[in-house]
Amino acid sequence: MKTALITGATSGFGLACGRRFAREGWQLIVTGRREERLQELADEFPDTPMHQVVLDIREVDRVKDFVTSLPEQFAKVDVLLNNAGLALGVDPAQQASLTDWDTMVDTNIKGLYHLTRQLLPAMVARNRGHIINMGSVAGTYPYPGGNVYGASKAFVRQFSRNLLTDLVNTRIRVTNIEPGLSQTEFSIVRLHGDADKAESIYQGTDPITGNDIAEIVYWVSSMPPHININSVEVMPVCQSCGPFLIHRDA
Ligand code: NDP
Ligand code: 8X3
């Protein structure tokens, strides 16, 4: 039985991916801060072996303990889905909260690379594994208010490429998924709980869903072992890239 470790499995993409891999007969290691959501996922799939761990990915010492104390049955991770992450705020840089910036860096960058670093030696020893990182179109294209969030996802994109370079003499695969506008709890979190404002972001659009991303994540993980999908950039049809901005003096 194959094993997928999914961070941020309590909502959105991570939850949808958990369901998808469970339906395909994989066993799961699922993490997130909301214990009741992890339990709900386990209850939904009573026949799926599931190791649920309440873990704040920013607590890097706990990340290490989490990896070293994986039960024997779950210790051989075939897919690591580094999905836990968030955006906080849409203010321009000169007004943005430094606390929010630190939280994004600690979660999207440091949490992701600590967990990856802790798991990699076992993958290299087995010469097997697939690291799937959740990047974003925000890591490639700038937009107003994207500042540190976009920069954190640019880190994820380049880290993914550099991992591939370091691992070129192994069978380990690395993929960066780069979604655009997607309806999850992402915007509610970004707007600090303002659900109405978050809903308005998706009004009149046909956004990506968690199930859409789960389909893509499962697809990249199902490629023949000699194939590595380096990255998948995906937007809903209603989205495109903006023009360059030019400010003209009056
Ligand atoms: P959700 O808010 O629905 O899910 C985010 C997940 O991340 C939750 O399970 C949450 O779990 C977890 N998480 C956040 N902070 C932490 C933390 N400190 N420790 C552990 N887990 C944490 O949003 P999405 O599903 O949309 O987001 C998933 C990923 O996809 C993120 O990396 C996001 O940046 C990225 N993304 C999202 C897009 C979108 O438009 N929605 C587009 C492109 C990329 P809990 O709160 O229980 O800890
Ligand atoms: C989330 C997509 O465009 O809101 O990463 O930054 S976007």
Side-chain angles (χ1 to χ4, degrees):
M1 194 178 240
K2 286 189 185 169
T3 305
L5 192 173
I6 302 175
T7 66
T10 56
S11 169
F13 297 163
L15 175 59
C17 289
R19 288 176 170 146
R20 180 61 201 257
F21 278 87
R23 275 190 212 109
E24 298 293 338
W26 290 49
Q27 62 173 7
L28 300 180
I29 305 163
V30 288
T31 74
R33 291 166 298 177
R34 286 170 287 181
E35 188 172 14
E36 69 287 356
R37 298 272 190 104
L38 296 175
Q39 189 55 51
E40 282 167 24
L41 180 60
D43 292 344
E44 199 179 325
F45 293 94
D47 298 331
T48 298
M50 211 176 291
H51 181 51
Q52 304 140 243
V53 180
V54 176
L55 178 69
D56 185 327
I57 201 83
R58 293 170 297 177
E59 295 176 10
V60 293
D61 289 340
R62 283 217 53 228
V63 168
K64 185 178 179 189
D65 292 344
F66 158 67
V67 172
T68 53
S69 61
L70 281 174
E72 177 67 27
Q73 183 195 343
F74 292 92
K76 292 175 182 160
V77 174
D78 296 288
V79 165
L80 164 61
L81 177 58
N82 276 318
N83 165 76
L86 78 175
L88 289 171
V90 286
D91 289 331
Q94 67 275 20
Q95 291 165 12
S97 154
L98 271 169
T99 308
D100 284 351
W101 281 8
D102 286 342
T103 303
M104 288 187 279
V105 168
D106 289 346
T107 311
N108 302 356
I109 297 180
K110 292 189 71 178
L112 183 145
Y113 75 62
H114 272 267
L115 179 55
T116 304
R117 176 64 183 82
Q118 294 298 342
L119 269 174
L120 258 180
M123 283 188 177
V124 171
R126 290 173 66 220
N127 200 19
R128 186 185 170 124
H130 193 164
I131 298 163
I132 303 179
N133 292 327
M134 200 53 73
S136 168
V137 294
T140 302
Y141 307 104
Y143 61 82
N147 42 67
V148 165
Y149 176 67
S152 75
K153 293 301 185 179
F155 172 91
V156 174
R157 182 162 51 93
Q158 197 63 7
F159 184 57
S160 304
R161 291 173 175 171
N162 281 336
L163 280 174
L164 271 176
T165 306
D166 286 350
L167 296 167
V168 69
N169 60 341
T170 75
R171 304 288 292 173
I172 297 168
R173 305 192 281 189
V174 184
T175 301
N176 195 37
I177 310 287
E178 303 168 11
L181 184 78
S182 312
Q183 191 157 16
T184 60
E185 293 179 13
F186 175 85
S187 293
I188 300 174
V189 172
R190 184 172 209 168
L191 298 170
H192 299 284
D194 189 336
D196 290 340
K197 204 167 163 195
E199 184 65 32
S200 72
I201 289 173
Y202 305 103
Q203 214 161 15
T205 74
D206 195 359
I208 297 170
T209 66
N211 287 339
D212 296 326
I213 295 302
E215 189 66 29
I216 292 167
V217 168
Y218 189 72
W219 173 72
V220 303
S221 77
S222 314
M223 285 290 109
H226 67 291
I227 293 297
N228 191 81
I229 305 289
N230 294 356
S231 61
V232 179
E233 182 184 297
V234 51
M235 288 183 181
V237 173
C238 63
Q239 188 176 29
S240 184
C241 307
F244 288 119
L245 304 176
I246 300 172
H247 170 75
R248 298 179 201 282
D249 290 332

